[in-house]
């Protein structure tokens, strides 16, 4: 399942250097490609159920959550939860692995960090423009 | 025009203390109300044209941009740009003022900072749970 994950190159998850890889919206106007990639991630966050799922996964001590623990928290169907989880995964915010009957999810903190860096205000940003 | 701006209490813009006011998704699961408020802001960011508009406004030296400088950068109609700007304003990301013929926009860096804080990873967050 995790092999299907599409990651977003705009967030440069394989790059260790934030300043070199990632746009900062307070430093310079985004180009169309940067905006398209980032908009996909923000769109994934733009839904209350997905935000709650992400916070349940990202705040879990030990780092991973069985899907069987996620679905009972919501009054929507299991397929709907699976769809929301897929969108979070495609945005590079979480990943997962099937073990036996259940799928286990964990957050990708590097993506959260990089997204936070994109939003940081001028006083915190390295403005190179 | 700026009087119509709806701000989001979930981001606690009037509160000086980040830790006291704002949820951190890696610290604890969001409740439904927090998730609804934050989802509205992330949804505002979940569109490439809105992200480009916000970055054009937020990165402007001097702090404000005439709408007359924003519309020529896009191949969409002026009413469409106005609609996108309205959504950014309703999310508390920008504000504006009419002066004579034109409306001038500026970013609200406190909202960007607080949104970045919501996303910060465990090592940077003050985990109180």
């Amino acid at each position: 399942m995790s092999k299907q994950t599409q990651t977003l190159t705009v967030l440069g998850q394989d790059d260790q250097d934030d300043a070199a890889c990632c746009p900062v919206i307070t430093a310079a106007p985004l180009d169309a490609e940067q905006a398209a990639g980032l908009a996909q991630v923000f769109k994934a966050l733009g839904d209350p159920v997905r935000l709650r799922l992400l916070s349940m996964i990202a705040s879990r001590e030990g780092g991973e959550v069985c899907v069987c623990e996620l679905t009972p928290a919501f009054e929507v169907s299991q397929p709907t939860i699976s769809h929301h989880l897929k969108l979070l995964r495609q945005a590079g915010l979480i990943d997962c692995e099937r073990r036996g009957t259940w799928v286990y999810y964990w957050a990708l903190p590097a993506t959260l960090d990089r997204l936070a860096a994109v939003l940081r205000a001028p006083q915190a940003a390295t403005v190179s423009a």
Side-chain angles (χ1 to χ4, degrees), chain A residues 25-88:
Chain A
I25 62 170
T26 55
L30 297 174
D31 64 34
E33 191 183 350
Q34 290 171 328
L38 284 169
Q40 190 191 336
V41 188
F42 285 123
K43 200 171 178 182
L45 295 173
D47 177 274
V49 172
R50 286 198 292 276
L51 269 183
R52 288 179 63 199
L53 283 168
L54 177 62
S55 70
M56 288 172 76
I57 297 167
S59 67
R60 171 58 62 95
E61 207 165 341
E64 60 177 42
V65 187
C66 174
V67 70
C68 58
E69 294 179 75
L70 296 171
T71 44
F74 298 90
E75 289 179 358
V76 296
S77 69
Q78 199 276 322
T80 301
I81 294 294
S82 291
H83 177 68
H84 284 311
L85 290 167
K86 183 182 171 189
L87 292 180
L88 289 172

Side-chain angles (χ1 to χ4, degrees), chain A residues 21 28 34-35 37 46 61 73 75 84-85 87 89-90 94-95 102-103 107-108 113-114 116 127:
Chain A
C21 80
Q34 290 171 328
E61 207 165 341
E75 289 179 358
H84 284 311
L85 290 167
L87 292 180
R89 217 156 44 78
Q90 288 178 338
I94 60 173
D95 206 352
W102 302 111
V103 180
L108 297 176
D113 276 346
R114 286 168 194 276
V127 182

Side-chain angles (χ1 to χ4, degrees), chain A residues 3-24:
Chain A
K3 286 192 173 61
Q4 294 168 15
T5 303
Q6 299 166 13
T7 54
L8 290 163
T9 53
V10 71
L11 288 176
Q13 291 178 47
D14 295 329
D15 194 317
Q16 295 301 307
D17 184 352
D18 271 5
C21 80
C22 299
V24 176

